[in-house]
Amino acid sequence: MKKNKLKLFLLLPLLLLTSCKQENNNISLFLYAADDEFINELTLAINQSFAGDYDLEIFSANRRQSIQNRQISSVIDSNLSNLMIVNIVDRLSSKSIIEKAATTNTPIIFINREPLLEDMLTYDKVYYVGTNPTYEGELQATIADNLFGGYQNFINSKYDKNKDGKLQVVQIKGEQGHQDTESRSYYSLNKLNNLGYQVDLLSSVFCDWTINSAYNEFRNIYNDFLDENFNSEIELLLCNNDEMAVGCINYLLTLDSYNEELSITDQYFPIIGVDASNNGLEAIRNGYLYGSVINDSEMQAEAIYKISDALLNNKDINNLDLTFEDGKFIRTNGKIVTQSTLIE
Amino acid sequence: MKKPLTLKIQLLVTLLPIFFIFTLIVSIVSYSLFYTNTRSYTNNQIEQSSYQCLNNYETFFNSVIDTSNSIERKVSNMDLINHQDEITTYLDDLLSLQSELSNAAIYSLEGEVIASNLNYESVTNATTTDWFINANNNRLLNFFSSIDYLDGLYGFTLSKYVTYNTEQEGGILKLDFDFTNVINLISETDLGNGGHITIYDNNYNVVYCSGIFNQKETELVQDVVLGSKIVRLDNVEYNMYISTLSNTRWKVAIFTNYESISSTLSNFLIILIILTIVIIVVEGGILYFVSTGITNPIRLLKREMSNVESLKFNPNDLLLIKGNKEVIELSKSFNQMMKRIDELAKKNIEEEEEKRKSELKALQNQINPHFLYNTLDSIVYLIEKKDNEKAEEMIIALSKFFRISISKGRTIIPLEKEIEHVKYYLLIQKIRFGKSFSYNIDIKIDISKYYTIKLILQPLVENAIIHGLKELEGNGKINIEVDKEDDLIKISISDNGFGILPSKLNEIYENMKDKTKNSSVGLKNVYQRLKIYYGEKADLKIISDLDIGTTIIIYIPISEALKNEEK
């Protein structure tokens, strides 16, 4: 009896230890920043799809790759995570992070910020889920084209304000070096060109996805391009995301010439964003933002969930109803959102 | 059965391990706390300084990237061909603002310089260079060349594909940076002896190393990839901290000497071990003294008690044991008990003495009164016979005989007197019995100093006359001899009678020694008195040869015979 008690006593810490041992369901989510509107929506969607089945721990790197490195290395070194979802700060660091994950054979899903393909190919348990920025850029062009009713109808229309037959465009870009920035910017103009428009890029500026930066940069640009009657020469404002579009709108709303009766599209020029974030949708309803492209966070979250589930439970990734580009990349296609689609 | 342990041993055996374990636990706990705290503190510090180091690099590289970005922004909406002066001024301004920037130029995709600072020497065959090809191949990335070391200066080149003239045309931006000041600044970070910083490129080629590069460290860096770890290089411990350098595809490994913490820990461990041993020894000593203090009085008490057991006990020598209260009280009670026992014993002895004396008196008083009557009868007879001379002689002898017998009531008289007493007796008896026996007294030693209990010889002589000589008409002989044998005075009384049969002799002996039988034979009376007074050493022996005679010998210890006092 006494011996049994002693055994129990000795076993107790072991039992405690084993009860503490995690099962196969710890997922760490590393975000580049905690104040990015779209990232927050995506995080929320991921949280919802993983809720109940998995424990999700979220880290934010405050836009510093060195902080994210520390977070990742501490998680990997202490073996706390069965799978990592990484919204990398600096896509050039992806190689190191993939190598680090490979030391413990931890699967890793990059989101939102695309690592380099050459890095992705060095490890079999790495995937990317993000948007299709090329298609998003093209959809921005399509929205504008739909509004103008084709290039022929644009010429000399009220949208061709200076009646020169050219489309004067300003680009508000996201972050320098971000693949979405470059692709959205490039392919929106590319598509307009393909649709026959003569595009005159007045200015393009990097605003790091944020409202404030866009507000300040756009103030300069707006004032740089005024005709002799102090009317804006801009005929189309393309923004890499809705947040920056809202920043531009906020500036326009401060102008003396702003008339609450008219939509911004009619009064100044159409503004088209990407993401269809909550702020963006609000702006569309208010008639400030003409259109946006849904960067479908829920769809991405679902894809992330499916890949995670397959990786953690040794299911064949190829049996999922997902299309991988280069065997590694999931890029969700956006959809057009305007006031009229919202009504529908 | 197990042998019971002494209290002291038991105290030591029980308490010492407890103290020992307790001290050990305290030592182990304090070491592990110190170990964890020191390690985490040092690791923290190292991490902080590594982080600071990295920060310095990143700040620099961020400024480099910022420079590249601002040029890119500037030219993206600029017609470079038609605004040569403006761009040159802009680039020169940048050069003067940022001391690290030594050259800035934009090459067309054909390899021609489109714009540059004033004193720029263009690169021939630019399209074949690494910086050009890499920047052109991945148009989104800033490309960093490896760090060159030339004439004491560290330099590197950043190249990036840029668009200009409202994104209608593309070119390659080339920026040359002087890295020397930054490297010198960061090298000032104290990384300890042998500590250094190594920068690796994407494929673990060394781009830069601030100290002596060790081939083995590349393997370690490849193992750890990111984060920190304690590693060994050439038998020296380092904290290796690895991070990426943002905006580059490079990796920084910072090696900080970690030996100091090991020596701190081992010093502490040595001190702790010494301290633990000292404490345990001191504890043992204290425990020994305390347990001795507790048990020693008990041990002394035990010894006192065993003194009593071994009859070496003297109540005046009893010690009052010093020690704790319980033991003192125990000792007091013991002493009291012993005193009481002693008192009782003394009383007992006194009572015994009294009893002995009264017995002695009683025995002395058993002297046959018939002798007096017979003697008086003989005197009357002599007077009737008008033998006045003899009558007078007899009366004088009788008077002297009784004087000695009574001796003013004393028990002890000089041996000479006792002998004299016997002489008078013999004289009286000789007159009574006529010439029926002769006697001889032979004193071989000086007896003037010796004393004896009175009336021990007369009964024996009486015996000899009555039993030994009665039948021998006229030939009887009594021989009294006083001599020394060892430490005894030997007084023998011999007759030349018929002797005693051995069986009769045994009966006499038995009768003589038996106290309980109250037969007042003279022999027994003398024997009992000798034993009562002188103890075991005194003796009475009867030697008898049939038809030759009987000798009775009295032995008295000389030491006792010298005493002239009644016990």
Side-chain angles (χ1 to χ4, degrees), chain B residues 80-81 105-115 126-127 131-132 136 139 161-162 164 169-174:
Chain B
L80 293 182
I81 311 293
I106 299 169
Y107 285 76
S108 72
L109 293 180
E110 287 73 39
E112 303 292 326
V113 177
I114 307 164
T127 49
W131 57 263
F132 190 99
N136 198 24
R139 294 187 167 185
Y161 174 84
V162 293
Y164 57 95
E169 291 172 80
I172 306 296
L173 173 68
K174 176 176 183 281

Side-chain angles (χ1 to χ4, degrees), chain B residues 392-408:
Chain B
E392 188 193 349
E393 199 182 340
M394 209 158 174
I395 288 167
I396 290 166
L398 188 66
S399 138
K400 288 198 172 160
F401 176 86
F402 273 105
R403 192 161 289 166
I404 293 170
S405 285
I406 292 160
S407 292
K408 295 175 186 167

Side-chain angles (χ1 to χ4, degrees), chain A residues 299-319:
Chain A
M299 220 160 107
Q300 287 173 26
E302 201 189 315
I304 293 164
Y305 178 81
K306 282 179 184 168
I307 297 171
S308 303
D309 191 54
L311 286 170
L312 289 174
N313 299 309
N314 297 318
K315 293 178 192 164
D316 191 351
I317 216 97
N318 297 316
N319 293 343

